[in-house]
Amino acid sequence: MQISLLIAAVAAVAAEPPWYQKTWYPYLFDCSDSADWRDQYDSACSAHSANECDVETRSACPQTCGLCTPSSPKMVIATPPIMAAAVAFLFIAYLYVRIDAFPTGAEVGLARVDELSLKIKSGARQFLETEYAYLAVFVVGLALTLFFLFYLTEDENAYTIALSVSLSFVTGATLSASAGWWGMMVATDGNAKTTAACAGDRANGVPGSLNAGLNVAFSTGAVMGFAVVGLGLAGVSTAYVVLCSIYGDDDQALVMQCLAGFGFGASSIALFARVAGGIYTKAADVGADLVGKVEAGIDEDDPHNPAVIADNVGDNVGDVAGMGADLFESYVGSIIAAASLAVTQAQKEGDTLQGKSTQAIALAFLLPAVGIVASTIGFFAVNTSAQGKGWDVHLGTLMWALEKGMYLAAALFTAGAYVCVVQICGLGTNIFACVIIGLAAGMAIGKVTEYFTSFDFGPVMSIKDRGMTGPATVVIQGLGVGMISCVPPTLVLSVAIVSTSALGGAYGVAISAVGMLSTLGITLATDAYGPVADNAGGLAELSHLGKEVRDITDSLDALGNTTAATGKGFAIGSAVLTALSLLSAFKNKINDPTGYDVGDPVVLSGVLTGAMLPYLFAALTMISVGKAAAEIISEVRWQFKHIRNAKGISLGECIRVYTEKAEEFGEGVYRAAPEDEVEPDSDKCVAISTRSSVREMIAPGAYAVLAPLMGGFLVGPRFLMGLLAGAITSGCMLAIMMANAGGAWDNSKKLCEKLGLKKSKDPAKKEQQKACVVGDTVGDPFKDTSGPALNILIKLMSMVSLTVAPLLKDHKDYDHWEYGLIPTAIFVVLTLILGPMMNILTWDDPLANMVSGDAPEDMGKGSSSRSYEPLGLPTTGNRRNTVCKVIGRLLGGGGGVHQNLVTP
């Protein structure tokens, strides 16, 4: 009897329209969409008219007719994402409480760890303050340019449109910068607590553990992840509501035109943050590795290396703030692209979205909201029972600790996406399939990237094996691995694009990008975890903690290297789908009836020009790293020779004593007396990296903005279409190759450490390890500077084009070509300033005077490096000299400064 009553109750509930239909259908549907609903509520629907639509009538009909659509559907569209953003902020508050509960270094008797962490935080703050001061000028200048550009070219509401675009631009830029700052600040707090968790509380007998360190580092990274999605979704949703309030719900095309300015601002900041952060981190890293590991033979984070603090600062400004700004831009860009395509595609006869623009726009905002909730739940599934065994770990086992959280979030998102797509928005299973394809493609690219960059698999092992024959074959093998690694991601992306386009048109491709990025909260948390773990290992070594602590931090670092590589693969895949969606939106905006035949000379010229731009961009950033690294190398050498303590012992002599004692007693056993220690001047290297990176970021960032403006106005929209298509294709391949080759080189070095080659008694194995260090040094700017920045390049150029699309609408080739002279003139003047005047765009060796040792202590033309003098350190002979020559040539820093590294 009770069972039958329960069945009857369930049937009665099932007969009623679900709560989400009652809430959402009045805003999203027309009665004619469903004959069943129309027949069931015929009396209510027949009462509707243009003048007879009130709350009672709407509540009586679950799907009100179009005449009864409420005046403010924007609030219904924007309310769920804003509420989800609030959930993200509340979860961040919880994470702060959680992180605050973990002990600091001082609380476990390791006050030195906190002191060093403060130095890293101070350096990171110094860099971001300097960078943001430059970017503030850029943002204000470009916002004024956009204002006058739209004000002078719009026919109606010129002032309002111009102000909306420029303020949207400023808002997007501000939130992008805020996301990077927020993540960086918490990351520099979490690194010390991660080290403390790995060390344990010795006074109370609490041992450190891998799981404790993982919890601290992942909680810290989660703040970055949820800050990006919270600020991104709240910002774009609020901007949408404000613009709808200004222009009305009926003029969605104009709303999307102004909303593109928001994405433009986010893209601009992301590019500069990625480039400057990448130059900073890799200049310090290369300098620290070359002089420390190869020349002096000391460990990666030896406290006597002056560049170590700058290296750890770089991990935060590049891999935390830079990656955060990068994915913030992808996140909001995918939403804007999908919403823009929803407006245009819904106007096409016979399209699957015909007459459903409101539903399609709502879905673009709903899916990220569901993703935030799913990511929040997935966070609690992250843990591990593995033991910290240093580099002697199986990465697949450690990866599962993070992957199970991502898989749980993906499963929950899939269920929520079905409700949103099919039940709430009524867009059918085809669009739902597009969402799932995007989500699956992102996960597939991540696993492929793991295969090519993890030292558990063949590609990295093959690079390590090539080290037996020297650094040249390591570099050759790494390039080959990077090139062949383009094949699987390209096939995955191609299948995803073709299938989603067949199912849902351009909107299907765009919504697949939204699906891929919807669980970004937990995906970015796993990525931001990496630099926190890396910093924790550095702090452990800088503080002279024992091997048992280093084993745990090394295990976390090994996992972080792989998550960083998979995160870069994910970022590339999402960038391609987002850029392609923006390209489709741009095509719909300009409305050129002549078409875009790739065989047309104008279009083909654009394709070739666009394909060249990623190579120009990558070259500029690679050369910048080489120049900045040369200054760091010179500074470190100078300090090894000249920095002395009160007893007159030089830094180089102190290192020699530690090296001898390590050979006698083992690593980490010997500690010099306080009066015999020599402290390096780390602040000098931090200042060099900050100045160099900020100077060198100007040209790549400015050229990325100017290129589409020059092509679009000087030639025409067809040329610009070709340029964007060429840049997306070329940039995708180059980004995948550089990111995966760099990651593989990096982990080949880690594999050598895992196998103990550095400490081997066999000279051949020691040389094999050094050869892999060379490969890692070459790969550093590949994977952390040029490669990641290419993702933003292709999105930024597409976003710039979409923003100025109304100004190019209905233009033929060479119409108003005179407008293109303005960005062309800016390009020429900027190049002249950065070249002969500032000596940035030049082939000159910035340290050429140092070869003869007659350079002043503070050189001109922006260089503050001291003149070169020998190290006075023990060496291993001509082999080391050869290694360093190879590195110098590969980094393009000029032959002279790298040639005489061996001293008597």
Side-chain angles (χ1 to χ4, degrees):
M1 182 65 179
Q2 291 178 344
I3 296 178
S4 61
L5 289 174
L6 179 61
I7 294 174
V10 171
V13 172
E16 288 295 318
W19 64 269
Y20 48 78
Q21 289 179 342
K22 292 181 179 179
T23 303
W24 283 77
Y25 278 5
Y27 297 88
L28 302 181
F29 288 96
D30 185 273
C31 289
S32 60
D33 291 335
S34 172
D36 294 337
W37 282 107
R38 186 176 65 250
D39 294 341
Q40 185 174 353
Y41 292 89
D42 184 64
S43 59
C45 290
S46 62
H48 293 181
S49 67
N51 300 318
E52 297 176 356
C53 187
D54 52 23
V55 175
E56 290 76 18
T57 307
R58 280 200 294 271
S59 62
C61 178
Q63 297 186 89
T64 190
C65 49
L67 295 174
C68 296
T69 300
S71 59
S72 299
K74 60 181 178 292
M75 290 308 301
V76 180
I77 292 175
T79 298
I82 292 176
M83 292 175 63
V87 170
F89 296 139
L90 289 173
F91 186 64
I92 289 173
Y94 160 77
L95 291 173
Y96 269 108
V97 173
R98 178 185 173 97
I99 294 170
D100 189 59
F102 293 117
T104 62
E107 291 171 349
V108 297
L110 301 173
R112 176 64 173 166
V113 171
D114 292 342
E115 294 173 7
L116 293 167
S117 177
L118 285 176
K119 294 184 70 172
I120 294 172
K121 185 171 186 175
S122 175
R125 182 192 290 270
Q126 173 189 335
F127 167 78
L128 285 187
E129 288 175 350
T130 304
E131 180 189 37
Y132 286 0
Y134 279 79
L135 292 183
V137 177
F138 166 80
V139 168
V140 171
L142 192 51
L144 291 174
T145 302
L146 288 172
F147 176 84
F148 287 111
L149 188 63
F150 279 88
Y151 181 73
L152 296 174
T153 54
E154 288 288 341
D155 296 329
E156 299 180 1
N157 297 324
Y159 178 81
T160 305
I161 294 174
L163 187 63
S164 299
V165 172
S166 56
L167 289 181
S168 294
F169 172 83
V170 173
T171 304
T174 303
L175 291 178
S176 179
S178 300
W181 177 276
W182 195 347
M184 185 276 296
M185 294 302 290
V186 72
T188 50
D189 289 333
N191 53 16
K193 295 198 170 191
T194 303
T195 306
C198 295
D201 189 347
R202 301 178 182 180
N204 296 318
V206 179
S209 69
L210 185 64
N211 189 56
L214 177 66
N215 282 333
V216 181
F218 188 69
S219 297
T220 304
V223 174
M224 172 83 262
F226 284 89
V228 166
V229 297
L231 289 174
L233 194 55
V236 74
S237 301
T238 303
Y240 174 75
V241 170
V242 172
L243 291 171
C244 284
S245 300
I246 295 173
Y247 301 109
D249 297 321
D250 295 333
D251 199 350
Q252 289 293 307
L254 186 55
V255 169
M256 295 304 160
Q257 173 186 326
C258 298
L259 193 61
F262 184 96
F264 184 11
S267 299
S268 301
I269 293 298
L271 183 70
F272 284 108
R274 209 34 159 148
V275 170
I279 293 172
Y280 185 111
T281 182
K282 290 304 109 179
D285 195 4
V286 169
D289 282 355
L290 282 182
V291 188
K293 289 183 180 179
V294 179
E295 295 183 28
I298 57 180
D299 288 334
E300 181 172 359
D301 293 304
D302 191 288
H304 301 101
N305 193 330
V308 166
I309 294 295
D311 185 9
N312 283 276
V313 171
D315 290 336
N316 291 284
V317 300
D319 294 337
V320 177
M323 176 61 85
D326 178 357
L327 289 173
F328 177 94
E329 185 266 344
S330 288
Y331 191 69
V332 300
S334 66
I335 297 172
I336 293 170
S340 299
L341 287 168
V343 175
T344 55
Q345 196 165 322
Q347 298 171 359
K348 296 180 179 179
E349 291 289 336
D351 194 277
T352 55
L353 296 182
Q354 182 181 356
K356 297 181 179 180
S357 63
T358 307
Q359 297 95 306
I361 293 171
L363 183 62
F365 288 90
L366 266 177
L367 291 177
V370 174
I372 288 178
V373 177
S375 297
T376 303
I377 299 172
F379 169 87
F380 295 99
V382 174
N383 58 69
T384 183
S385 59
Q387 301 297 314
K389 299 180 180 179
W391 295 108
D392 188 20
V393 294
H394 187 269
L395 286 181
T397 303
L398 286 181
M399 277 297 291
W400 175 244
L402 298 179
E403 285 178 338
K404 58 189 177 185
M406 292 189 289
Y407 291 154
L408 175 59
L412 293 173
F413 171 75
T414 300
Y418 179 82
V419 174
C420 290
V421 177
V422 179
Q423 299 296 323
I424 294 180
C425 294
L427 294 178
T429 55
N430 279 5
I431 299 300
F432 172 69
C434 294
V435 175
I436 301 308
I437 289 171
L439 183 66
M443 298 174 68
I445 291 173
K447 295 304 292 183
V448 166
T449 306
E450 180 186 349
Y451 171 76
F452 281 101
T453 58
S454 171
F455 57 53
D456 283 344
F457 302 107
V460 171
M461 293 180 184
S462 71
I463 296 175
K464 182 267 299 180
D465 293 339
R466 296 292 83 75
M468 292 294 294
T469 51
T473 48
V474 167
V475 173
I476 293 170
Q477 184 74 10
L479 287 173
V481 167
M483 291 176 184
I484 202 169
S485 73
C486 294
V487 177
T490 302
L491 294 178
V492 170
L493 287 171
S494 298
V495 170
I497 291 169
V498 171
S499 57
T500 54
S501 178
L503 291 169
Y507 179 80
V509 178
I511 208 65
S512 71
V514 176
M516 181 183 288
L517 288 161
S518 289
T519 56
L520 182 63
I522 192 168
T523 304
L524 183 53
T526 62
D527 195 1
Y529 146 89
V532 177
D534 192 4
N535 266 202
L539 290 173
E541 186 166 333
L542 286 166
S543 303
H544 298 286
L545 300 186
K547 182 178 183 299
E548 70 282 357
V549 180
R550 275 311 306 241
D551 282 346
I552 296 175
T553 58
D554 284 348
S555 295
L556 292 174
D557 192 13
L559 176 59
N561 284 333
T562 302
T563 60
T566 56
K568 290 180 178 69
F570 175 83
I572 294 168
S574 62
V576 172
L577 292 180
T578 301
L580 181 60
S581 303
L582 293 169
L583 176 63
S584 299
F586 169 73
K587 175 184 174 183
N588 292 336
K589 288 274 188 181
I590 58 177
N591 191 30
D592 192 331
T594 58
Y596 308 97
D597 180 5
V598 73
D600 184 276
V602 172
V603 178
L604 182 58
S605 298
V607 171
L608 292 174
T609 305
M612 169 273 297
L613 288 175
Y615 286 88
L616 171 64
F617 188 85
L620 291 174
T621 50
M622 289 284 288
I623 291 172
S624 295
V625 170
K627 291 191 295 183
E631 294 188 63
I632 294 290
I633 290 168
S634 171
E635 177 62 28
V636 174
R637 289 174 180 161
W638 188 93
Q639 290 198 28
F640 280 173
K641 181 70 175 179
H642 291 89
I643 295 289
R644 298 178 180 273
N645 62 12
K647 296 177 67 173
I649 301 174
S650 71
L651 188 57
E653 292 168 344
C654 183
I655 291 173
R656 181 165 55 244
V657 171
Y658 268 90
T659 302
E660 292 172 351
K661 296 298 183 182
E663 293 177 355
E664 182 178 353
F665 301 112
E667 292 283 347
V669 177
Y670 172 77
R671 286 291 305 278
E675 62 271 15
D676 293 331
E677 276 289 0
V678 185
E679 290 287 332
D681 182 7
S682 301
D683 292 340
K684 185 69 175 178
C685 291
V686 170
I688 291 173
S689 291
T690 299
R691 175 186 45 76
S692 298
S693 58
V694 172
R695 280 163 43 92
E696 298 288 344
M697 76 177 180
I698 299 173
Y703 290 169
V705 174
L706 290 173
L709 297 178
M710 293 165 58
F713 287 104
L714 200 61
V715 182
R718 295 199 309 140
F719 178 88
L720 182 53
M721 274 291 296
L723 183 144
L724 296 177
I728 292 171
T729 305
S730 169
C732 173
M733 297 301 104
L734 193 58
I736 294 172
M737 188 277 290
M738 298 185 88
N740 289 347
W745 274 317
D746 186 10
N747 273 336
S748 70
K749 176 195 69 175
K750 303 298 189 204
L751 181 57
C752 291
E753 295 179 13
K754 174 182 177 179
L755 298 175
L757 300 188
K758 178 181 177 181
K759 301 174 184 178
S760 173
K761 300 298 182 181
D762 185 351
K765 291 185 177 180
K766 285 188 175 182
E767 296 304 324
Q768 181 181 4
Q769 186 265 344
K770 291 176 184 177
C772 290
V773 171
V774 174
D776 172 50
T777 308
V778 175
D780 275 338
F782 267 55
K783 68 182 177 65
D784 289 323
T785 307
S786 301
L790 291 173
N791 308 334
I792 311 172
L793 173 71
I794 61 177
K795 292 179 292 184
L796 174 59
M797 292 198 298
S798 300
M799 191 63 79
V800 171
S801 303
L802 180 61
T803 303
V804 301
L807 309 181
L808 297 172
K809 186 176 182 180
D810 299 325
H811 278 207
K812 302 296 186 294
D813 295 339
Y814 309 110
D815 280 356
H816 306 293
W817 61 268
E818 63 275 9
Y819 294 157
L821 296 177
I822 299 174
T824 304
I826 296 174
F827 167 81
V828 172
V829 172
L830 182 65
T831 302
L832 292 175
I833 293 174
L834 296 177
M837 296 179 64
M838 297 183 65
N839 205 37
I840 295 176
L841 298 178
T842 176
W843 294 113
D844 294 341
D845 184 352
L847 308 178
N849 292 333
M850 295 166 51
V851 176
S852 59
D854 58 357
E857 181 167 322
D858 290 313
M859 297 172 62
K861 296 185 179 181
S863 174
S864 60
S865 298
R866 286 145 173 145
S867 56
Y868 165 73
E869 292 195 40
L871 293 179
L873 295 172
T875 67
T876 58
N878 291 331
R879 178 68 173 177
R880 178 171 294 161
N881 190 32
T882 303
V883 169
C884 294
K885 284 182 181 179
V886 172
I887 297 172
R889 291 168 183 167
L890 288 170
L891 286 175
V897 75
H898 298 286
Q899 302 235 341
N900 301 306
L901 301 182
V902 178
T903 59

